[in-house]
Amino acid sequence: MNKIAVLMAEGFEEGETLTIVDILRRAGLVCDMIYFGDKLVKGMHGMYVEGDKAFGEAVKEYEMIVLPGGRPGGQNLKENPEVIKMVQYFNNNNKYIGAMCSGTVVLSDANVIEGKKVTGYTGYAEKLIGGIFINEVVVADQNIVTSQGPATPYPFAYKIAEVFGKDTAVLRERMLYNFAGGK
């Protein structure tokens, strides 16, 4: 069974993080929320969410690591040397890495996007050093899947599910994504 680790640093963007986890679980994937320190993590908007598992070596057992955004969530991920090492481990072992919004800045610091197409929050073209910035909602290139921001976790999560071989057509219909104008 495919396992995805979604990292929740303090200041994580609640809407992005919880939507990603919700959709991936609906798609039948194992998706754990990984916390640092306290199991109860404070999000960007003051909401506390209980994580599933603590960050550590066991994260290496997952097939994908996901870095959501948030202020200062993305920055907190970027400033954690253990997160940088883990992202590099995933890249060096041809495992998937997903990032959206401010979480994408971790990819530059980890040096895992050199020559790869990426996207990120508005104005992040100059922050995603080494990557080829594409102004699209979701960009997947090799082992990297990126997305832009708070309005984009639905297509981002659907793309991740598809990377793992899931047909998201029925899920999109059941969630009224197509009805709402999603592409």
Side-chain angles (χ1 to χ4, degrees):
M1 174 151 303
N2 300 116
K3 292 172 50 177
I4 300 162
V6 178
L7 304 188
M8 289 192 338
E10 185 171 331
F12 69 94
E13 215 304 335
E14 296 97 334
E16 293 171 4
T17 305
L18 296 176
T19 300
I20 293 163
V21 173
D22 175 54
I23 291 173
L24 295 176
R25 288 180 180 178
R26 288 177 191 238
L29 297 163
V30 173
C31 184
D32 291 323
M33 295 181 291
I34 307 299
Y35 60 90
F36 301 83
D38 293 334
K39 191 171 187 176
L40 208 55
V41 186
K42 183 179 181 183
M44 178 176 161
H45 302 288
M47 296 177 216
Y48 285 85
V49 176
E50 186 175 323
D52 299 310
K53 297 186 178 174
F55 183 83
E57 287 296 306
V59 172
K60 291 179 178 179
E61 297 171 12
Y62 290 79
E63 282 78 33
M64 182 176 212
I65 192 169
V66 176
L67 312 158
R71 291 183 314 271
Q75 189 68 25
N76 286 339
L77 291 172
K78 178 183 174 189
E79 292 175 1
N80 184 328
E82 295 306 312
V83 170
I84 298 295
K85 288 178 192 172
M86 189 66 73
V87 169
Q88 291 169 336
Y89 171 85
F90 270 70
N91 191 62
N92 293 339
N93 288 278
N94 297 313
K95 292 184 172 212
Y96 291 105
I97 303 163
M100 71 177 306
C101 200
S102 65
T104 58
V105 295
V106 175
L107 305 178
S108 284
D109 280 30
N111 296 311
V112 298
I113 57 172
E114 190 67 39
K116 296 177 184 175
K117 296 176 187 169
V118 294
T119 196
Y121 194 71
T122 303
Y124 273 39
E126 60 276 356
K127 292 184 180 188
L128 298 175
I129 299 163
I132 302 164
F133 191 86
I134 307 293
N135 190 24
E136 292 181 10
V137 172
V138 177
V139 174
D141 190 7
Q142 298 174 46
N143 65 322
I144 306 288
V145 181
T146 53
S147 190
Q148 292 186 336
T152 66
Y154 278 80
F156 178 64
Y158 292 139
K159 176 56 77 178
I160 290 170
E162 291 163 2
V163 161
F164 287 105
K166 300 292 184 175
D167 181 352
T168 63
V170 172
L171 184 59
R172 289 171 190 248
E173 283 298 319
R174 286 185 182 151
M175 294 183 76
L176 300 179
Y177 182 73
N178 298 336
F179 175 78
K183 297 177 186 172

